[in-house]
Amino acid sequence: AQSVTQLDSQVPVFEEAPVELRCNYSSSVSVYLFWYVQYPNQGLQLLLKYLSGSTLVKGINGFEAEFNKSQTSFHLRKPSVHISDTAEYFCAVSAGGTSYGKLTFGQGTILTVHP
Amino acid sequence: DVKVTQSSRYLVKRTGEKVFLECVQDMDHENMFWYRQDPGLGLRLIYFSYDVKMKEKGDIPEGYSVSREKKERFSLILESASTNQTSMYLCASSSHFRGNTEAFFGQGTRLTVV
């Protein structure tokens, strides 16, 4: 079984500042890792994913994440945030094989960007 | 553009009613999922299906059932709605094949049980 912990429930930040949203996971098998974003009253949209290969993954809207196997982390970063990045962000893991793409989610981090 | 469509954005139902939440995807995906989203708890898997007429329980199946009679459609059923089922419900679909494991989500149905 897998579990995901997002270490911050809320992150306030000023516009144009850098931001890091932290995610740790636990699993007894190799996993795929994802970050999703949810804007108010909408469904989830994929930001980026790690399946294999390079541990630095680039996604949409200038976001990137780094897979660290030894620390079982997959932190999300953006060097300069915009007001429009205000949303809730979810880290998720999926085991390969016969998991059928089931996702286990963290609790979510609400990012609020202030002018 | 790929699409997962949930039949209702908002629903208000009475305690004890039978409630159907419908989800349709147009991507020919094998896998479909129902998640429940509550503040501070993230998304939790209720049921999923990996093929027509096949279903498996997720982490919180109690009080729910599902139906998948056609590949593109996956229904969530609340047999007798209760107030603790007031929540946001999200449907998702994904493909079997490695390298294409992204799950696509619908807009969500916010269900209120009164």
Side-chain angles (χ1 to χ4, degrees), chain B:
Chain B
D1 201 14
V2 296
K3 211 163 187 181
V4 178
T5 303
Q6 295 183 229
S7 55
S8 304
R9 291 295 304 275
Y10 301 93
L11 276 178
V12 180
K13 296 293 182 181
R14 294 194 179 277
T15 301
E17 275 193 76
K18 190 169 186 176
V19 180
F20 293 85
L21 303 184
E22 307 286 347
C23 175
V24 177
Q25 52 98 359
D26 65 0
M27 295 165 280
D28 200 36
H29 282 165
E30 297 84 5
N31 307 322
M32 295 189 75
F33 309 87
W34 277 106
Y35 291 91
R36 171 176 170 158
Q37 181 182 8
D38 299 290
L41 298 178
L43 280 76
R44 294 175 291 167
L45 181 64
I46 304 172
Y47 267 96
F48 73 100
S49 168
Y50 53 89
D51 202 350
V52 176
K53 297 191 185 295
M54 306 303 290
K55 59 186 179 183
E56 286 200 17
K57 294 179 181 179
D59 300 317
I60 52 165
E62 297 78 18
Y64 303 94
S65 63
V66 291
S67 173
R68 192 165 180 201
E69 297 295 320
K70 294 185 177 181
K71 189 175 185 179
E72 68 270 18
R73 186 179 296 270
F74 191 36
S75 303
L76 180 69
I77 304 157
L78 287 65
E79 296 288 342
S80 177
S82 64
T83 55
N84 62 12
Q85 293 178 310
T86 292
S87 188
M88 170 73 91
Y89 291 88
L90 289 160
C91 176
S93 71
S94 71
S95 173
H96 269 331
F97 300 105
R98 188 184 183 282
N100 188 18
T101 55
E102 176 183 353
F104 293 86
F105 284 82
Q107 294 287 80
T109 296
R110 187 167 295 281
L111 173 67
T112 303
V113 182
V114 298

Side-chain angles (χ1 to χ4, degrees), chain A residues 34-54:
Chain A
F34 305 83
W35 274 99
Y36 283 85
V37 61
Q38 185 179 38
Y39 299 103
N41 297 316
Q42 294 190 24
L44 273 66
Q45 178 184 0
L46 183 71
L47 272 180
L48 47 81
K49 60 186 176 185
Y50 173 79
L51 303 181
S52 65
S54 172

Side-chain angles (χ1 to χ4, degrees), chain A:
Chain A
Q2 298 84 41
S3 67
V4 178
T5 302
Q6 292 183 238
L7 298 162
D8 306 290
S9 60
Q10 297 193 50
V11 173
V13 65
F14 287 107
E15 195 172 17
E16 298 184 7
V19 70
E20 178 180 82
L21 306 184
R22 298 179 293 167
C23 173
N24 287 103
Y25 70 93
S26 66
S27 177
S28 57
V29 298
S30 294
V31 295
Y32 303 139
L33 294 154
F34 305 83
W35 274 99
Y36 283 85
V37 61
Q38 185 179 38
Y39 299 103
N41 297 316
Q42 294 190 24
L44 273 66
Q45 178 184 0
L46 183 71
L47 272 180
L48 47 81
K49 60 186 176 185
Y50 173 79
L51 303 181
S52 65
S54 172
T55 57
L56 183 62
V57 179
K58 293 190 184 297
I60 63 171
N61 299 341
F63 284 93
E64 64 181 32
E66 185 155 19
F67 170 56
N68 188 318
K69 189 174 182 179
S70 63
Q71 297 188 8
T72 61
S73 67
F74 190 56
H75 301 333
L76 181 70
R77 301 185 182 99
K78 186 170 182 178
S80 176
V81 295
H82 301 132
I83 296 286
S84 60
D85 292 323
T86 294
E88 189 162 17
Y89 293 78
F90 292 95
C91 181
V93 301
S94 172
T98 58
S99 73
Y100 299 112
K102 288 183 293 180
L103 291 166
T104 300
F105 286 87
Q107 301 89 332
T109 298
I110 297 173
L111 174 65
T112 304
V113 182
H114 298 284

